[in-house]
Amino acid sequence: MKHYFLIPILLVTLLLSCSKEDSAEANQELTGVTANQQPTGTSSNHLLSDAVFNSMVVELVYVEGFKPTQTAINNFVNFLEERTYKPNGITVVTRSIVSPGMSPYTTQDIIDIENANRTKYNTEDQIAVWAFFADGQSANNTANGVVLGTAYRNTSFVIYEETLHSYSDSAFEANRDVLETTVITHEFGHILGLTNLGAAMQTNHEDADHPKHCNNEDCLMYRSAETGSGMENLIGVSTAPQLDSQCIADLQANGGK
């Protein structure tokens, strides 16, 4: 009888060993510097769910004099808590740096600044996000519009804070808290996989003329939140646009709330 029990025990041992090795290898691919340098949207499920990472840290770095308002930061955290499962919490770590002196900034400039200053990367159970608030304009601005923010990696985005200031400096312009909240949460929406950028669409709601944006003009993921067009719609309002039901359905289907 001993011989009959020996084979299944060995099989179970081998299977457990392989499972642990596969799991360790998979976790290794999700941690460290390279894991945070992937295309935008590829970490959608890892940010939304607690299947791998049960907490999140946001490294919020700004050029001196261009820190976002505390209200905007609080609204950003509320947005994350409403849409992601992170039972061990979401932490925001803020600090300033001196001006890199590169304005207008190209995307490669922004990447170089991140590479030189980022300190938080994914660990075994915590996913890390980099948010940079720049003291200059985007090099992609045109005569027809400006870039307010860009999500350029799977856990990285930039907000062109100087440009936001120019649109919210007077009583006749958008409220600073509302504008910052709108642009920050819009860019993070891209990082979460919206629209059709890692979180599969449950219904077809991508703007055919402006890919990776929602076609609902009232949705946070409509293109105007990123480009500054339609800025007049934020004048006199006290809250930022919200995700519509279609975008929320996409996030829920990929592990979010």
Side-chain angles (χ1 to χ4, degrees):
M1 291 294 293
K2 292 180 180 178
H3 294 290
Y4 290 102
F5 285 100
L6 182 60
I7 293 175
I9 289 172
L10 283 173
L11 286 174
V12 170
T13 301
L14 289 171
L15 287 171
L16 286 174
S17 176
C18 290
S19 177
K20 289 179 180 178
E21 289 176 2
D22 292 344
S23 177
E25 184 176 349
N27 286 341
Q28 188 174 14
E29 293 176 354
L30 298 176
T31 60
V33 175
T34 303
N36 294 99
Q37 297 178 341
Q38 302 305 308
T40 308
T42 55
S43 290
S44 172
N45 176 260
H46 296 140
L47 287 158
L48 289 166
S49 77
D50 61 353
V52 176
F53 302 105
N54 54 35
S55 65
M56 183 189 306
V57 59
V58 178
E59 186 174 11
L60 192 158
V61 175
Y62 57 93
V63 175
E64 293 174 351
F66 291 90
K67 182 180 181 180
T69 68
Q70 190 58 49
T71 297
I73 295 173
N74 293 343
N75 290 341
F76 178 38
V77 174
N78 290 338
F79 174 81
L80 295 176
E81 291 176 341
E82 288 175 357
R83 297 297 158 214
T84 69
Y85 287 101
K86 298 300 171 205
N88 286 358
I90 296 169
T91 304
V92 177
V93 179
T94 63
R95 76 174 191 278
S96 65
I97 61 172
V98 298
S99 174
M102 297 179 177
S103 181
Y105 291 97
T106 65
T107 300
Q108 187 57 54
D109 290 336
I110 297 299
I111 289 173
D112 291 343
I113 292 168
E114 177 185 358
N115 292 344
N117 293 278
R118 182 168 181 164
T119 64
K120 302 292 185 182
Y121 296 92
N122 297 353
T123 59
E124 183 177 353
D125 58 3
Q126 183 177 74
I127 192 165
V129 172
W130 163 267
F132 179 60
F133 291 76
D135 62 334
Q137 300 179 350
S138 166
N140 293 321
N141 287 357
T142 68
N144 298 320
V146 297
V147 177
L148 302 179
T150 305
Y152 59 93
R153 278 176 172 170
N154 59 327
T155 60
S156 306
F157 67 98
V158 57
I159 303 298
Y160 295 100
E161 186 69 15
E162 183 185 63
T163 302
L164 265 64
H165 281 202
S166 69
Y167 280 98
S168 58
D169 277 337
S170 78
F172 303 101
E173 295 176 315
N175 176 278
R176 179 74 54 78
D177 295 335
V178 173
L179 181 56
E180 287 180 343
T181 299
T182 300
V183 181
I184 293 169
T185 52
H186 176 95
E187 294 310 323
F188 203 80
H190 286 313
I191 288 177
L192 290 179
L194 298 171
T195 302
N196 196 25
L197 190 62
M201 292 190 295
Q202 303 307 293
T203 58
N204 186 8
H205 61 105
E206 183 177 13
D207 188 338
D209 295 326
H210 304 92
K212 312 311 176 187
H213 290 91
C214 186
N215 59 14
N216 180 356
E217 293 184 10
D218 296 324
C219 179
L220 173 66
M221 296 312 296
Y222 191 65
R223 66 182 178 86
S224 61
E226 184 172 282
T227 63
S229 62
M231 192 70 67
E232 65 277 2
N233 295 330
L234 294 179
I235 298 175
V237 302
S238 58
T239 59
Q242 304 295 305
L243 294 175
D244 73 355
S245 59
Q246 297 177 104
C247 282
I248 291 174
D250 294 350
L251 299 184
Q252 291 175 338
N254 202 33
K257 296 179 181 178

